[in-house]
């Protein structure tokens, strides 16, 4: 990468098609993992480039995530007729494995942390409980789970506990 010069974006991408190097790409602005996720479908091969909306065999990272929006984006990706998927993390595959695994992980994590907050656990107790057993062996766990608790615990706690003096 020696000598590489970065260039800031020169345009805003909208949904629709874009032809690059003779390839027709369908751009799908989505969100959930971040505020501005982008999935791309290559019309020629049917390959879905999902970016960090999909993970396979690695625990998803959630520092800026909106879980409900992310699941809605995954549902949109699940409805596509792709011949193969390139997840943001994990191997290329010709199945719905990343769609199923990422969605199941997010749903299980949401339930797991909501229950922990409902029980009145402190963040350290939630961390000590560890990730959902079904996903404990995914790459980056348990570290990614601990990072999620450290960064997102307040969201679950506020949802579970009444705010004193709040409306």
């Amino acid at each position: 990468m020696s000598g590489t010069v970065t260039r800031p974006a020169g345009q805003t991408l909208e949904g629709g098609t874009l032809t690059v190097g003779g390839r027709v790409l369908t751009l799908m602005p989505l969100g959930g993992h971040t505020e501005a996720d982008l999935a791309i479908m290559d019309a020629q091969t049917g390959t879905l480039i999902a970016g960090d909306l999909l993970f396979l065999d690695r625990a998803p990272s959630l520092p800026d995530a909106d879980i409900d929006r992310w699941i809605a984006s995954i549902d949109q990706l699940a409805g596509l007729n792709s011949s193969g998927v390139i997840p943001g993390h994990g191997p290329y595959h010709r199945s719905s494995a990343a769609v199923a695994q990422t969605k199941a992980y997010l749903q299980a994590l949401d339930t797991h942390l909501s229950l922990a907050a409902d029980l009145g656990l402190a963040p350290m107790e939630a961390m000590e409980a560890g990730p959902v057993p079904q996903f404990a062996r995914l790459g980056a766990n348990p570290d990614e789970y601990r990072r999620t608790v450290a960064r997102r615990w307040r969201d679950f706690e506020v949802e579970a506990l009444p705010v004193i003096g709040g409306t």
Side-chain angles (χ1 to χ4, degrees), residues 8-160:
Q11 68 185 63
T12 300
L13 291 178
E14 303 293 336
T17 60
L18 176 69
T19 302
V20 177
R23 296 189 90 92
V24 177
L25 306 174
T26 301
L27 308 178
M28 296 166 278
L30 299 166
H33 176 260
T34 68
E35 283 292 315
D37 295 299
L38 180 67
I40 302 169
M41 178 75 88
D42 179 343
Q44 181 179 347
T45 64
T47 301
L48 171 63
I49 303 164
D52 279 355
L53 287 167
L54 297 179
F55 287 65
L56 183 59
D57 299 331
R58 186 203 186 277
S61 55
L62 287 85
D64 302 309
D66 175 331
I67 294 174
D68 292 336
R69 186 173 177 208
W70 194 347
I71 290 171
S73 291
I74 291 171
D75 288 341
Q76 283 187 257
L77 297 178
L80 300 174
N81 187 22
S82 65
S83 63
V85 177
I86 301 171
H89 296 268
Y92 170 83
H93 59 286
R94 293 184 180 276
S95 70
S96 60
V99 166
Q101 188 179 82
T102 306
K103 183 175 179 177
Y105 182 93
L106 293 173
Q107 290 172 325
L109 177 73
D110 187 56
T111 299
H112 185 70
L113 292 180
S114 292
L115 177 60
D118 287 345
L119 291 171
L121 298 184
M124 291 307 293
E125 292 171 311
M127 278 187 203
E128 187 62 33
V132 175
Q134 173 186 355
F135 300 105
R137 292 182 180 243
L138 287 180
N141 259 341
D143 294 333
E144 195 61 62
Y145 170 78
R146 290 184 193 120
R147 178 178 164 205
T148 296
V149 174
R151 294 286 306 267
R152 305 304 305 276
W153 181 253
R154 184 178 186 283
D155 299 340
F156 292 94
E157 197 171 48
V158 166
E159 184 69 28

